[in-house]
């Protein structure tokens, strides 16, 4: 039976309109209070042995079908679930009188402590161990298995939030859309959904209460989520999307405003798969090449030779176009086994980003050397930039090193307010600036981009963030040097209009967002973009800035 439609609202982070049945990502199990052992310990041992085997088999099976990046993680997890020492420790606790789920929890907690005390790569596996524990306990308690659901038909994935391990095996052919209660526009979920082209809405309060199997409409542009939608509503939204899509197909090539003013449209790449996809994208090059994928999950840094080979591959696929390489951004949300500062209570405020070069200078110099060698004769216009630069001295130190190693264009990412406030000074040495709005939001509003506990603070329409973009862009115009935006904010078509109005010279985004951003920009003149920017800056919060600009742009199209 179809009930009345329920309208929910979240933040749309990956465009598209779909309707499908909900499949919920089960939360981790909670042990019932005062759980006591019942039954014969040997029967419980046998039950636990079967639960461990089931978890091992399922993880092994998932690893066989996972995307390349996830295969090793899942295979290693399957091996952990089969570990005889772990099993012996659990069985010992059951024979000592503990209930099976409690024995699993306690035995894994002890192993977890050991991994954490060893540190490095093994410490990073602690989360994998937690996942195994949750799975085994769920089997023992007869609860649904945590993690991605499996269905015969493609479904709308509904979750409180998605962990990186959940997203590793996401597959666009089985997931129609993603809706999460938590998370923000720069969360892991948002970035992955966008790169896979899956419509997604995050921070959608009340969504997780929707029943498994319910029919749900997801509009990844407006953030609307509707359960049991009426046929009229579905056709109206799908029709509106179709009209937008039609406008999108009219435009291709370099970014332009309605009066012909230019704004470069570039793409962000961060995995081998992204690079393959991006090579064919209708863009003017790469505005952000995240190089961490070369370094993650490795015990030591790749050699100059190996790095050169990977960079060369991407430069050749972008021959004749621009490629902005971001040097290694280690730390905080991108921890590396070999570039890790122990005991930092607040890693996001610690030795991350460009600061790594203070204690591992060779890591940076080797990378710059490899980029420089790969650039030579590749045909690409190679620029380099350093992540999370905070002071003019850092910008100048980086530019000096890069220039000395044969890279003529060296810039700084503006990701902390200090850099935006002193953009004029950064530009004395830096050849260009690129604004990383994901980090700039978290540092401006002191709100962790990973947890996004107060999502509206990470809304890229927040006027304080926009003010810092305006300051940086204005400094770029004074210095006559390029200033781009390469955070997720650049992929919001109407925010792109605001950035154009502030004088930003390039926008870099996931390839899937290019067409809509290009189409939206093409509809307005520079002076209309400036007006949109002024309106956004005069509002009190993100929501009203978005609404005011949305209404203004709609009025221009109507008139
Ligand atoms: C940013 O912070 O906006 C950015 C582009 O860098 P990353 O998301 O890789 O931290
Ligand atoms: Mg960043």
């Amino acid at each position: 039976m179809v009930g009345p439609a329920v309208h929910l609202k979240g933040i749309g982070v990956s465009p598209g309109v779909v309707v499908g049945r909900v499949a919920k990502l089960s939360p981790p199990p909670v042990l019932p209070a005062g759980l006591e052992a019942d039954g014969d310990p040997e029967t419980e041992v046998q039950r636990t042995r079967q639960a461990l085997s089931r978890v091992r088999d399922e993880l092994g099976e998932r690893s066989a079908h996972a995307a390349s990046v996830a295969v090793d993680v899942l295979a290693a997890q399957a091996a952990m679930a089969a570990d005889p020492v772990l099993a012996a420790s659990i069985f010992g606790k059951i024979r000592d009188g503990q209930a099976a789920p409690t024995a699993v929890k306690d035995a894994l907690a002890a192993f977890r402590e050991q991994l954490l005390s060893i540190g490095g790569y093994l410490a990073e596996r602690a989360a994998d161990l937690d996942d195994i524990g949750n799975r085994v306990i769920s089997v023992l308690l007869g609860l649904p298995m945590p993690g991605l659901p499996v269905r015969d038909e493609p479904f709308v994935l509904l979750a409180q939030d998605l962990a990186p391990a959940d997203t590793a095996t996401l597959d666009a052919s089985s997931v129609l859309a993603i809706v999460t209660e938590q998370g923000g526009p720069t969360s892991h979920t948002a970035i992955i959904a966008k790169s896979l082209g899956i419509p997604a809405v995050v921070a959608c309060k009340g969504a997780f209460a929707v029943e498994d199997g319910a029919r749900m409409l997801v509009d990844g542009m407006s953030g609307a989520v509707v359960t049991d939608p009426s046929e009229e509503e579905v056709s109206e939204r799908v029709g509106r999307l179709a009209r937008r899509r039609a406008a999108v197909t009219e435009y291709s090539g370099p970014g332009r405003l309605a009066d012909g003013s230019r704004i470069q449209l570039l793409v962000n790449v961060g995995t081998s798969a992204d690079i393959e996809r991006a090579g064919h994208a209708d863009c003017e090059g790469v505005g952000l090449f995240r190089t961490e994928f070369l370094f993650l999950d490795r015990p030591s840094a790749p050699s100059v030779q190996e790095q050169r080979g990977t960079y060369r591959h991407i430069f050749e696929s972008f021959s004749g176009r621009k490629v902005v390489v971001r040097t290694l951004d280690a730390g905080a949300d991108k921890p590396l086994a070999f570039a890790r500062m122990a005991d930092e209570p607040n890693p996001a405020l610690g030795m991350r980003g460009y600061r790594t070069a203070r204690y591992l200078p060779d890591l940076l110099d080797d990378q710059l050397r490899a980029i420089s060698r790969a650039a030579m004769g590749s045909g690409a216009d190679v620029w380099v930039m350093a992540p999370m630069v905070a002071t003019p001295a850092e910008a100048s130190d980086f530019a000096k090193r890069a220039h000395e190693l044969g890279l003529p264009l060296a810039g700084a990412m503006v990701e902390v307010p200090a850099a935006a406030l002193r953009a004029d000074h950064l530009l004395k040495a830096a050849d260009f600036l690129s604004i990383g709005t994901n980090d700039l939001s978290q540092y401006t509003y002191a709100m962790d981009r990973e947890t996004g506990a107060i999502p509206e603070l990470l809304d890229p329409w927040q006027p304080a963030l926009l003010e810092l973009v305006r300051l940086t862009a204005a400094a770029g115009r004074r210095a006559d040097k390029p200033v781009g935006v390469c955070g997720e904010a650049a992929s919001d078509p109407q925010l792109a209009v605001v950035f154009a109005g502030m004088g930003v010279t390039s926008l870099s985004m996931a390839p899937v967002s290019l067409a809509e951003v290009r189409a939206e920009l093409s509809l307005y003149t520079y002076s209309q973009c400036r007006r949109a920017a002024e309106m956004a800056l005069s509002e009190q919060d993100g929501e009203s800035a978005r609404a005011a600009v949305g209404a203004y742009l709609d009025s221009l199209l109507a008139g």
Side-chain angles (χ1 to χ4, degrees):
M1 203 191 104
V2 177
V6 177
H7 288 76
L8 301 168
K9 187 92 175 79
I11 302 177
V13 290
S14 179
V17 175
V18 296
V19 182
R21 297 272 167 202
V22 164
K24 288 169 93 164
L25 183 101
S26 306
V30 179
L31 286 191
L35 188 65
E36 302 252 333
D38 62 350
D40 167 35
E42 286 314 314
T43 315
E44 286 300 278
V45 164
Q46 198 46 32
R47 222 163 60 82
T48 310
R49 199 189 302 280
Q50 284 163 357
L52 281 164
S53 305
R54 180 172 152 197
V55 168
R56 180 203 58 208
D57 293 349
E58 285 196 13
L59 290 169
E61 172 72 10
R62 280 176 67 198
S63 114
H65 296 104
S68 58
V69 281
V71 169
D72 292 348
V73 175
L74 292 168
Q77 259 191 309
M80 278 184 192
D83 187 282
V85 182
L86 179 63
S89 160
I90 298 171
F91 300 160
K93 289 181 190 303
I94 296 175
R95 291 186 177 117
D96 287 345
Q98 281 196 335
T102 319
V104 172
K105 185 163 177 271
D106 289 356
L108 283 162
F111 271 69
R112 189 177 200 285
E113 284 311 308
Q114 283 174 22
L115 289 184
L116 288 177
S117 66
I118 297 168
Y121 175 81
L122 286 175
E124 282 162 26
R125 302 277 73 81
D128 300 347
L129 206 54
D130 293 341
D131 186 45
I132 292 170
N134 288 335
R135 286 168 181 277
V136 177
I137 292 170
S138 298
V139 175
L140 289 170
L141 293 175
L143 297 172
M145 191 71 97
L148 284 186
V150 178
R151 297 283 189 279
D152 295 336
E153 294 286 315
F155 53 86
V156 174
L157 178 64
L158 182 56
Q160 292 282 6
D161 203 359
L162 292 179
D166 299 322
T167 51
T169 49
L170 267 185
D171 165 12
S173 64
S174 58
V175 178
L176 291 171
I178 300 171
V179 177
T180 64
E181 279 246 357
Q182 291 155 20
T186 60
S187 63
H188 196 81
T189 307
I191 294 173
I192 293 278
K194 213 178 284 182
S195 79
L196 291 173
I198 301 176
V201 174
V202 300
C204 187
K205 292 277 164 301
F208 202 69
V210 174
E211 305 256 308
D212 207 279
R215 203 162 153 269
M216 181 178 265
L217 177 149
V218 182
D219 184 340
M221 174 75 79
S222 69
V225 168
V226 186
T227 63
D228 288 328
S230 66
E231 290 314 316
E232 296 73 43
E233 172 137 29
V234 174
S235 63
E236 191 205 314
R237 284 186 187 270
V238 170
R240 207 183 299 158
L241 183 75
R243 287 196 293 280
R244 286 188 72 92
R245 294 263 189 261
V248 163
T249 56
E250 272 177 44
Y251 302 97
S252 60
R256 262 177 223 295
L257 303 182
D259 56 12
S261 319
R262 291 272 291 109
I263 180 157
Q264 237 179 11
L265 296 180
L266 306 164
V267 292
N268 294 349
V269 296
T271 64
S272 314
D274 281 353
I275 294 165
E276 298 308 326
R277 270 195 293 271
H280 307 289
D282 178 9
C283 65
E284 295 164 74
V286 174
L288 169 64
F289 173 15
R290 290 184 168 100
T291 54
E292 293 75 41
F293 80 100
L294 259 163
F295 297 79
L296 285 170
D297 286 331
R298 299 176 66 132
S300 58
S303 66
V304 172
Q305 192 55 22
E306 182 186 342
Q307 290 189 53
R308 182 197 162 279
T310 309
Y311 302 144
R312 182 75 183 191
H313 173 63
I314 178 163
F315 295 166
E316 282 174 350
S317 19
F318 280 88
S319 183
R321 290 187 277 178
K322 168 175 164 181
V323 179
V324 185
V325 185
R326 197 258 308 272
T327 57
L328 182 61
D329 185 16
D333 59 317
K334 310 173 187 90
L336 292 191
F338 54 90
R340 210 182 156 85
M341 289 298 286
D343 302 330
E344 283 192 303
N346 294 308
L349 301 181
M351 297 301 280
R352 59 155 300 203
Y354 188 61
R355 296 168 188 181
T356 312
R358 290 175 190 245
Y359 62 98
L360 292 170
D362 293 346
L363 193 60
L364 175 65
D365 287 342
D366 279 352
Q367 188 179 22
L368 290 173
R369 216 166 267 128
I371 297 167
S372 173
R373 289 183 194 161
M376 226 175 292
S378 68
D381 176 18
V382 176
W383 301 22
V384 286
M385 64 183 181
M388 210 181 129
V389 165
T391 63
E394 286 178 346
S396 133
D397 177 52
F398 177 74
K400 189 159 162 282
R401 283 174 182 218
H403 293 162
E404 278 171 9
L405 289 167
L407 291 156
L409 288 165
M413 283 190 77
V414 173
E415 305 195 271
V416 292
L421 293 167
R422 304 286 285 176
D424 285 306
H425 295 261
L426 260 64
L427 281 168
K428 291 201 171 117
D431 299 304
F432 66 97
L433 297 177
S434 182
I435 307 170
T437 47
N438 308 336
D439 275 313
L440 191 55
S441 287
Q442 83 162 340
Y443 293 125
T444 301
Y445 283 93
M447 172 49 58
D448 189 331
R449 67 188 266 192
E450 287 302 301
T451 59
I454 308 178
E456 62 269 29
L457 294 182
L458 294 178
D459 182 345
W461 284 86
Q462 278 284 7
L465 175 74
L466 299 183
E467 189 67 55
L468 293 172
V469 175
R470 185 189 69 76
L471 280 175
T472 312
R477 287 176 93 82
R478 279 192 292 274
D480 198 19
K481 290 185 176 177
V483 170
V485 175
C486 67
E488 294 306 308
S491 60
D492 174 331
Q494 302 200 330
L495 203 43
V497 170
V498 167
F499 292 149
M502 290 176 174
V504 156
T505 56
S506 68
L507 297 167
S508 191
M509 64 203 78
V512 67
S513 306
L514 278 169
E516 283 177 42
V517 168
R518 179 188 288 110
E520 194 75 18
L521 288 168
S522 71
L523 298 170
Y524 317 104
T525 62
Y526 180 57
S527 68
Q528 289 169 334
C529 295
R530 278 181 52 171
R531 178 79 194 108
E534 281 161 18
M535 292 183 85
L537 286 165
S538 68
E539 292 295 332
Q540 296 299 321
D541 57 38
E543 205 178 317
S544 48
R546 181 188 285 105
V549 171
Y552 170 62
L553 298 182
D554 280 356
S555 75
L556 291 176
L557 293 183

